Amino acid sequence: MLSTKTLLLPFISVAAIASSANANDQIKIVGSSTVYPFTSYVAEEFGATTGNKTPVVESTGTGGGMKLFCAGVGSNTPDFTNASRPMKVAEFEICQENGVKNIVGMKVGYDGVAIAQNKDNEALDLTLEQLFLALAQEVPSKDGKSLVANPYKKWSDIDNTLPNREIKMIGAPSTSGTRDSFDEMVMEHASKSFPVYNGEPYKKIRTDGVYIPGGENDNLIVQKLAQDKDAMGYFGYSFLEENRDKIKGVTLNGVEPNAKNISSGEYPIARSIFIYMKKDHMGKTKGLEEFIKLYSSEAMTGENGVLKTIGLIPMPSDEHKLTQETIKSLAVITPEMVKAGLTNPAK
Amino acid sequence: MKNDYFYIPQIEKRNAKAKRFHILVSSAIITTMAFLFFFLFTIIKEGIPAFKQSYIQVDIEITQELVENPYAINATLDKDIAKFISRSWTRSLPSQIEKNPDWIGKTVSLSALTNADVDQYLKGNNHKLSQDQQQKLDKMYEDGIIEFKFNKIFFTTGDSKIPENAGFFSAMVGSVLTMLVTMLIAVPIGLMTAIYLEEFAPDNKFTQFIEININNLAAIPSILFGLLGLAIFINFFGVPRSTPFVGGLTLALMSLPIIIVSAKAALKTVPESIRQAGIGLGLTKWQITRDHVFPLALPGMLTGSIIALAQALGETAPLIIVGMIAFVPDASTSIFNAATVMPAQIYTWSGMPEGMYIEKTSAAIMLLLGVLLSLNAIAIYLRKKFQPKW
């Protein structure tokens, strides 16, 4: 019969090969799919111009990235994680528990969620409340005292100044960061203006077929909008920018979705995006500091930086200066900063 | 008719029934063909333009300064032309100058890669150029300053966030490395398991239980193997994420049951008389298997293995979980360096907003289909050529 030794042999050899293979000359990055294109661009630039190996960038979603990032320190854990929202307090605590003590955070810039429709449609202007009434599972009744299942089928049912057009919204599935942003910045925000919700954030989206989850591939939503004139869709701003031949943006509270309005904060659905670095990995993985400095440089994330050309909405120059100072001093984030959702230490 | 001895009253009804059935089944194949044709037609129509790429002729005065800051050429060139040139080309100037040190101090006429907007405009797709720039481009195209060349970049570079610089090479290398690992692990283990189960193992409850389980495993959704790979290889053994090694191991797990099942089927086709003749001659079981049964079953075993590997080559789901769907521009040099694979690259490109990735996605699909078709062709050839006839 086979001895235990022979049976274990393949496993031992796998483990032996694996442990010898953990070369640490390549930066590993995980996290948000929204930040992924920007980080990849910087990674490519880093590999092409500095002679270091090009970092590996994986798109795992913000939450998934935080989980991997906070799993511990060491060569098998990522050096950076991308996030389309600030790190949560709970995530910060998990990081601390697992020995990821020193984290440097950097704001990359802004990203807007654009609502778009077919190019041939008439221009449309909506308020966040109208959007909310169109998409919420339950809406205030006529007298505003109780909640009823959403009866609205047409935009004109909500407000007779809106066009007589079917409500049909193609959006991101519930796993997506874009959906998180939409829920938070449209649904939860608008629900506060209806007293019947008692100030509780309401983000349940109707499931009677009016809202169509479109899958993670935003190009498919664009294609559907190009075919279906009734439909509207929402996605990251860069998809509107790239497809202006097929679709156009819906203005919100009269504000057009464009780069200027998003970075100034005038456009209501915009969010900050971040990248977090494990300071504990400095000196262990090659090129960490160089990479984050390149990321924060004027040429990349500056007001006229190259990331602007692929859809990033850069920070105003004074905020960018502040971010650069943080990166220069490699100041780690503190519990207070996490609570406030900041990455730059207060002055 | 009525006097016909062979006349059966129901015959017309039966014939009509047979005809209806014939139409039904042939309409099924026509539908399938239509789908296939439609799929191939769109892919090829969208993918063909990706094999050519526009280049612009520019005269550049090469100075030492350019080695330090290549973007300085934007100031020396005509403003519009500077906007037509791809950033990735400018970025690569220093390394080009390094290769040709005699350029310094001279004005050199170079063929520069144009950016995606220019390329897409000339191909008639969506672009972001102004009216002025379009006229200028039309003129330059007529004068031959801008011309289309075969897109070498697509076959020599890896992924890039600059669409005109994106290529399929790293993904192809990644696929080759991953498949090597899969093949070296799954094929020998799979074939040996099949031989043991079919030739040596006693037929009892235990081996039957094992066989049922192997058959079930062959039908399991591939994503589950990804989870298994994550749990065993990455979390338990600490194999580095995103590498061909972990991807190959995971895909090996996935292909094993298919290889075992097909190899067992191939062994079953070897007639029992061969084994009995061997026993009659006093050969040992090992000799019978090695010299007679195995060589006779080998073509069938290889066919099954190739088809299993072809399936693994087109697999993405389990690789998402072990981190192989990532941005990896450099071609991997060993199975322990991060890599991505062909279907993963297609998946990544399909989600990019820039129009140029659409044609690159289709071109990549064409290449992947080509590889899969040739693998299947090899499998069919092996079967036809070496399959013994009884």
Side-chain angles (χ1 to χ4, degrees):
Chain A
M1 274 321 282
L2 296 169
S3 70
T4 343
K5 229 184 196 167
T6 357
L7 278 176
L8 280 176
L9 199 67
F11 296 100
I12 293 166
S13 52
V14 165
I17 296 171
S19 51
S20 66
N22 284 334
N24 252 349
D25 53 351
Q26 196 166 24
I27 297 174
K28 289 198 196 88
I29 307 170
V30 293
S32 161
S33 54
T34 315
V35 196
Y36 167 82
F38 309 125
T39 304
S40 311
Y41 198 105
V42 180
E44 188 184 339
E45 184 84 9
F46 182 72
T49 55
T50 62
N52 283 301
K53 267 196 186 162
T54 311
V56 177
V57 192
E58 214 185 311
S59 155
T60 60
T62 305
M66 288 290 177
K67 218 172 132 193
L68 288 166
F69 183 79
C70 291
V73 284
S75 56
N76 254 345
T77 58
D79 306 294
F80 289 92
T81 185
N82 295 316
S84 57
R85 53 164 171 77
M87 183 181 266
K88 288 179 186 166
V89 176
E91 288 163 345
F92 183 71
E93 279 162 5
I94 295 172
C95 257
Q96 299 291 316
E97 270 169 40
N98 291 336
V100 188
K101 298 270 185 217
N102 300 306
I103 304 166
V104 178
M106 179 192 139
K107 193 170 184 175
V108 174
Y110 298 93
D111 177 55
V113 176
I115 297 173
Q117 58 172 346
N118 191 296
K119 200 185 83 177
D120 299 333
N121 282 332
E122 300 241 327
L124 184 64
D125 179 56
L126 297 171
T127 63
L128 292 185
E129 283 74 22
Q130 286 165 345
L131 258 178
F132 175 83
L133 289 178
L135 298 176
Q137 171 115 41
E138 292 167 309
V139 294
S141 60
K142 281 254 155 61
D143 56 5
K145 284 190 186 127
S146 59
L147 288 176
V148 291
N150 196 332
Y152 304 120
K153 290 282 173 219
K154 288 182 166 174
W155 288 103
S156 50
D157 296 345
I158 297 172
D159 190 320
N160 51 24
T161 58
L162 291 175
N164 181 8
R165 186 173 140 193
E166 220 182 308
I167 303 173
K168 199 173 185 187
M169 178 69 85
I170 311 173
S174 51
T175 47
S176 136
T178 317
R179 169 74 179 265
D180 281 348
S181 304
F182 188 85
D183 282 354
E184 189 190 316
M185 291 184 287
V186 177
M187 304 304 286
E188 292 185 9
H189 183 83
S191 68
K192 285 180 197 143
S193 25
F194 300 100
V196 62
Y197 297 104
N198 299 325
E200 300 235 345
Y202 184 89
K203 60 171 187 180
K204 268 195 206 142
I205 286 196
R206 62 200 291 187
T207 49
D208 53 355
V210 170
Y211 180 88
I212 307 156
E216 288 277 7
N217 191 331
D218 292 338
N219 271 333
L220 291 180
I221 304 185
V222 172
Q223 278 174 25
K224 276 183 203 150
L225 296 185
Q227 287 155 6
D228 187 348
K229 284 179 79 172
D230 277 335
M232 272 185 231
Y234 68 82
F235 28 69
Y237 169 72
S238 59
F239 283 85
L240 172 64
E241 181 69 46
E242 284 295 330
N243 293 289
R244 293 236 186 233
D245 61 328
K246 298 186 200 94
I247 52 175
K248 67 177 171 195
V250 171
T251 55
L252 290 178
N253 301 336
V255 183
E256 174 107 22
N258 61 31
K260 198 177 124 262
N261 291 339
I262 291 172
S263 70
S264 70
E266 225 174 301
Y267 184 73
I269 357 182
R271 58 184 164 177
S272 309
I273 55 179
F274 301 88
I275 184 164
Y276 291 92
M277 179 180 107
K278 248 178 228 172
K279 202 179 174 185
D280 310 271
H281 275 191
M282 271 175 63
K284 289 182 193 150
T285 313
K286 228 177 99 192
L288 277 199
E289 199 181 342
E290 270 175 287
F291 178 77
I292 193 83
K293 284 202 169 134
L294 176 68
Y295 210 147
S296 66
S297 69
E298 205 62 45
M300 289 289 139
T301 45
E303 263 191 306
N304 290 309
V306 64
L307 293 187
K308 197 179 160 187
T309 59
I310 56 165
L312 177 79
I313 293 141
M315 290 171 270
S317 66
D318 44 337
E319 196 184 359
H320 189 246
K321 285 238 165 62
L322 205 63
T323 306
Q324 278 181 317
E325 274 168 40
T326 310
I327 296 306
K328 208 170 169 195
S329 64
L330 292 172
V332 296
I333 51 173
T334 59
E336 290 74 41
M337 281 156 69
V338 175
K339 223 168 260 170
L342 296 173
T343 50
N344 294 326
K347 285 267 159 104
Chain B
M1 277 296 233
K2 286 269 152 87
N3 304 326
D4 189 344
Y5 182 74
F6 293 103
Y7 179 73
I8 305 163
Q10 295 94 333
I11 195 130
E12 267 166 30
K13 245 184 167 176
R14 271 166 53 191
N15 281 344
K17 229 179 193 173
K19 204 169 177 189
R20 275 205 301 278
F21 184 68
H22 185 92
I23 290 171
L24 191 71
V25 285
S26 48
S27 69
I29 184 105
I30 289 169
T31 321
T32 332
M33 295 285 289
F35 278 131
L36 187 66
F37 178 77
F38 181 71
F39 169 71
L40 287 178
F41 177 76
T42 21
I43 294 291
I44 291 174
K45 191 178 134 252
E46 278 183 359
I48 289 283
F51 292 108
K52 56 179 190 175
Q53 165 70 44
S54 57
Y55 283 83
I56 184 168
Q57 208 68 38
V58 281
D59 295 325
I60 293 174
E61 201 190 326
I62 306 284
T63 55
Q64 193 60 44
E65 192 209 341
L66 283 186
V67 180
E68 267 94 62
N69 176 23
Y71 304 111
I73 63 159
N74 292 344
T76 63
L77 286 171
D78 179 282
K79 223 174 101 207
D80 274 328
I81 292 179
K83 272 191 196 141
F84 294 155
I85 295 178
S86 163
R87 196 167 179 280
S88 66
W89 186 82
T90 316
R91 192 168 66 190
S92 72
L93 252 184
S95 65
Q96 283 192 52
I97 298 174
E98 234 163 74
K99 273 186 221 147
N100 305 284
D102 52 314
W103 282 2
I104 293 175
K106 287 183 204 153
T107 301
V108 200
S109 177
L110 295 172
S111 181
L113 183 68
T114 63
N115 65 25
D117 269 332
V118 172
D119 190 75
Q120 291 297 294
Y121 168 69
L122 293 173
K123 284 173 183 167
N125 297 335
N126 182 36
H127 58 84
K128 284 182 291 188
L129 298 173
S130 69
Q131 209 73 45
D132 262 12
Q133 289 172 320
Q134 291 176 28
Q135 280 168 7
K136 208 159 189 173
L137 274 178
D138 286 335
K139 175 111 194 352
M140 289 167 95
Y141 188 59
E142 264 168 41
D143 295 347
I145 300 173
I146 292 186
E147 55 180 356
F148 279 107
K149 287 185 189 170
F150 177 70
N151 192 354
K152 254 199 314 202
I153 291 172
F154 188 70
F155 297 94
T156 50
T157 67
D159 195 4
S160 170
K161 287 292 141 181
I162 302 174
E164 62 272 19
N165 191 39
F168 206 43
F169 181 67
S170 314
M172 293 197 266
V173 172
S175 270
V176 169
L177 291 174
T178 310
M179 290 330 289
L180 265 177
V181 175
T182 307
M183 195 172 80
L184 289 179
I185 290 171
V187 173
I189 297 184
L191 296 191
M192 285 193 284
T193 311
I195 290 172
Y196 175 75
L197 284 175
E198 201 57 34
E199 303 294 324
F200 294 92
D203 188 19
N204 58 24
K205 281 264 149 58
F206 181 64
T207 49
Q208 278 169 15
F209 176 72
I210 289 181
E211 284 188 24
I212 289 172
N213 274 301
I214 290 175
N215 286 331
N216 277 337
L217 275 179
I220 270 184
S222 57
I223 189 109
L224 297 184
F225 288 103
L227 287 168
L228 192 66
L230 175 72
I232 297 181
F233 300 126
I234 297 183
N235 292 346
F236 188 69
F237 285 119
V239 180
R241 263 177 92 84
S242 312
T243 55
F245 186 55
V246 70
L249 286 173
T250 308
L251 290 178
L253 282 185
M254 195 195 82
S255 348
L256 259 179
I258 305 169
I259 295 179
I260 296 173
V261 169
S262 62
K264 268 163 52 85
L267 287 166
K268 276 208 182 89
T269 60
V270 178
E272 203 49 37
S273 55
I274 304 248
R275 296 185 187 88
Q276 281 160 0
I279 294 168
L281 287 168
L283 299 179
T284 61
K285 211 149 198 194
W286 161 235
Q287 285 172 314
I288 299 170
T289 312
R290 185 191 61 187
D291 298 335
H292 302 281
V293 178
F294 180 67
L296 287 170
L298 192 61
M301 288 172 149
L302 284 183
T303 314
S305 304
I306 291 173
I307 286 171
L309 289 180
Q311 195 187 348
L313 184 67
E315 197 58 69
T316 26
L319 297 180
I320 297 180
I321 305 209
V322 294
M324 285 198 84
I325 308 220
F327 179 70
V328 189
D330 299 345
S332 188
T333 46
S334 91
I335 54 168
F336 300 114
N337 281 340
T340 189
V341 291
M342 292 199 274
Q345 187 68 78
I346 291 170
Y347 173 75
T348 334
W349 281 347
S350 74
M352 297 290 293
E354 289 90 354
M356 202 168 186
Y357 286 112
I358 296 175
E359 60 180 51
K360 295 220 167 173
T361 308
S362 297
I365 292 174
M366 283 162 68
L367 283 185
L368 180 62
L369 279 181
V371 174
L372 291 178
L373 273 180
S374 33
L375 275 180
N376 283 337
I378 293 173
I380 291 172
Y381 174 78
L382 283 177
R383 194 168 56 208
K384 281 260 169 348
K385 174 107 187 184
F386 297 106
Q387 190 75 293
K389 291 189 179 65
W390 310 109

